[in-house]
Amino acid sequence: MEEELNSRGARVLPLSGKSGRALQELAERYLSWLDGRAEALSSQDTASGPLLSDMAWTAGVGRAHFAHRAAVVFRDAGSLREQLKALAGTDQEPAHGSAGKVAFAYAGEASQWIGMGKVLYESEPVVRAVLDRCGAVLREEREVSLLDVMFGRSGFEETLDDPEWMQPAIYALECALTALWSSVGVRPSVVVGQGLGEIAAAQAAGVFGLEEGLRFAAARGALIGTLPEMGAMTTALDDLKTVLQGFSIAPPSLTMVSSVTGRVVGPDEALDGEYWSRQAWEQVAFDRCVGVLADLGVEAVVEIGPQQVLGPEISLAWPRSADAVKAAEHGGDAPVVLSSLLRPSGNSPAPEVEAGFLKAVAGAYEAGLSVSFDGLFAGEMRRRVSLPSYPFQRRRHWVDAPERPDSSSGS
């Protein structure tokens, strides 16, 4: 019997205005709105409660979204008030993003951690659907649950570090994250992957299907995870080619940067068994791929992976343009870089980890991307509620009357 989904523990409240001052006033109006509903909030002050959920949903799907933006990620009425007060009282200019071209960058090996994706699996139907499909494939072949390994259930805590499990687990999670971003309206124009991540990037580009990519990732982990000696390497690569022989491999349906060549995959370039056997061992430095993203005019990069790995590397490797005109056209030298998930640490308490994806969505919204907020409420029945009205910045505009002809002058 399928487990019921958990209530979502956090929400995003999008705020926008035609000016920075309008955005501040809107935050003030939301504070007043909350004050007027203090009695109702006393018994339903969590983000998953009806009132705050309906508020966030109505703001996301029922309001126009202007250029000056802020997005508040909150878990309860208290954290919502705190952030609204900070927004209302700030002297800083709000985000005025206009990011257009988006790249998804897929992380590779050694980014895994026990429990990765568990919160999203328990609350997001899109993530659950993808991971369940992948889990069914591997259970048929290995009679062990992929999810047990990923989430550390039933004594599988050490198994995830085994390449035979690590590679398909990371691939499955990255495909699930791609589907989740798509459900909120954020899709890539360009994809790039580091190591194992290139398999998920290829799947996102339509090179092969979800299950085919999973089988290849599992075979890749089993064959090359043990780092065979040079004498056995040829056999391992031949085995990888054999795995791919029965696959239906298509050209990328969107721009894909190759980690083998360090350039965009050309229309006549076959991503066949020969390519993927090379990819397992012959990869260019990732900063070369980052340079290609810059040349393509990418303005926002979403890292797809279990934790923040590629983001700092992308920011450091991004070429700084000496052409001020070009930099201005693309909103500055460095792109907006967003990480889909956070890994728990001493500095990242559990609530922050749970809200990691929502913080990335908030960052995408503030960067100017078009976000379909309805996707954050998949499986829920929400209703529109009355929200604070938009604070129009009323200004007087004097129009000089045209001069009248001098009636005393003759014709």
Side-chain angles (χ1 to χ4, degrees), residues 94-346:
H96 191 180
S98 58
K101 184 172 286 190
V102 180
F104 279 13
Y106 293 78
E109 294 86 348
S111 58
Q112 77 281 358
W113 51 278
I114 294 293
M116 62 183 190
K118 185 174 185 289
V119 171
L120 293 179
Y121 177 82
E122 292 174 341
S123 61
E124 298 298 336
V126 173
V127 172
R128 177 168 293 193
V130 173
L131 292 184
D132 281 349
R133 283 175 61 186
C134 292
V137 171
L138 288 188
R139 184 179 283 279
E140 273 185 26
E141 297 180 358
R142 302 181 179 180
E143 299 183 353
V144 176
S145 167
L146 172 66
L147 299 181
D148 283 348
V149 175
M150 288 178 62
F151 302 157
R153 300 171 179 164
S154 306
F156 287 99
E157 289 83 354
E158 303 301 325
T159 312
L160 188 58
D161 290 332
D162 183 342
E164 196 167 348
W165 282 106
M166 175 249 291
Q167 297 212 13
I170 293 175
Y171 167 85
L173 178 61
E174 292 182 343
C175 290
L177 289 171
T178 301
L180 184 59
W181 276 108
S182 180
S183 74
V184 297
V186 178
R187 301 174 181 87
S189 302
V190 184
V191 294
V192 63
Q194 185 182 57
L196 163 70
E198 190 167 3
I199 303 176
Q203 192 276 333
V207 174
F208 35 63
L210 174 69
E211 288 84 355
E212 291 173 324
L214 178 75
R215 289 190 174 95
F216 177 51
R220 186 180 189 271
L223 291 170
I224 70 173
T226 54
L227 295 176
E229 298 296 327
M230 291 300 296
M233 188 178 296
T234 301
T235 301
L237 296 182
D238 287 342
D239 288 343
L240 282 180
K241 295 177 187 178
T242 302
V243 172
L244 290 164
Q245 282 179 356
F247 288 9
S248 176
I249 299 178
S253 59
L254 45 80
T255 302
M256 178 175 170
V257 180
S258 166
S259 71
V260 176
T261 65
R263 60 175 183 267
V264 172
V265 175
D268 300 325
E269 187 174 352
L271 299 182
D272 53 13
E274 184 66 32
Y275 175 87
W276 289 105
S277 64
R278 289 181 59 199
Q279 192 270 350
W281 300 102
E282 303 174 20
Q283 297 176 36
V284 301
F286 188 68
D287 56 1
R288 183 170 166 184
C289 297
V290 173
V292 176
L293 297 183
D295 292 339
L296 290 170
V298 167
E299 296 167 297
V301 180
V302 177
E303 179 175 355
I304 306 293
Q307 59 174 309
Q308 187 182 56
V309 175
L310 296 180
E313 186 174 349
I314 290 170
S315 297
L316 288 173
W318 200 267
R320 266 50 183 176
S321 173
D323 186 340
V325 175
K326 179 181 178 182
E329 288 176 352
H330 296 293
D333 283 339
V336 174
V337 181
L338 306 167
S339 296
S340 299
L341 289 180
L342 298 175
R343 179 174 182 169
S345 70

